[in-house]
Amino acid sequence: LRGDILLLPEARGDHRSLTMDAMAAGMVLIAAADPMVGVLIDHRTARLVHRPSAEHWSGAISWALDDQEGARSLAGSAQGVVRAHCRASSHVAAGVDAYEWMTAAE
């Protein structure tokens, strides 16, 4: 995944792997505020747009382009969150644990 900025304009409550991949790759995320997607944390993992208007989207995009140090800092913060809390190996281990629990002889 290569890019500088990922825009996520729709708030549908979907947890998408693209979002996690972008954060892991150090991309800046600008997303519609979505309380159903816990990984989108304003000013920690993404710049959230709370109102779906051209003015608010323009402001968020302008911020990313104008404040390159702030944008890099946000991308680094998101990358750190993924590394600390969203490891693929943890997901696989949880799947194995669930399978073992379901097939236990109890």
Side-chain angles (χ1 to χ4, degrees):
L1 186 65
R2 295 188 183 274
D4 297 317
I5 299 173
L6 177 64
L7 302 178
L8 301 170
E10 297 177 344
R12 295 183 179 178
D14 295 335
H15 292 263
R16 300 180 185 184
S17 61
L18 179 64
T19 305
M20 301 301 293
D21 289 342
M23 291 190 323
M27 291 177 66
V28 174
L29 267 80
I30 301 175
D34 191 339
M36 300 300 291
V37 181
V39 74
L40 295 177
I41 305 166
D42 203 13
H43 301 291
R44 182 157 181 228
T45 63
R47 178 75 180 245
L48 299 184
V49 177
H50 295 280
R51 293 193 182 122
S53 70
E55 180 181 349
H56 285 92
W57 277 98
S58 175
I61 294 167
S62 293
W63 164 82
L65 298 175
D66 294 339
D67 185 0
Q68 292 181 6
E69 185 60 35
R72 275 192 287 274
S73 177
L74 176 62
S77 174
Q79 198 171 36
V81 168
V82 169
R83 285 184 179 153
H85 303 290
C86 306
R87 300 181 60 93
S89 59
S90 298
H91 180 72
V92 171
V96 170
D97 289 346
Y99 179 77
E100 288 176 351
W101 175 78
M102 290 186 306
T103 59
E106 297 177 6

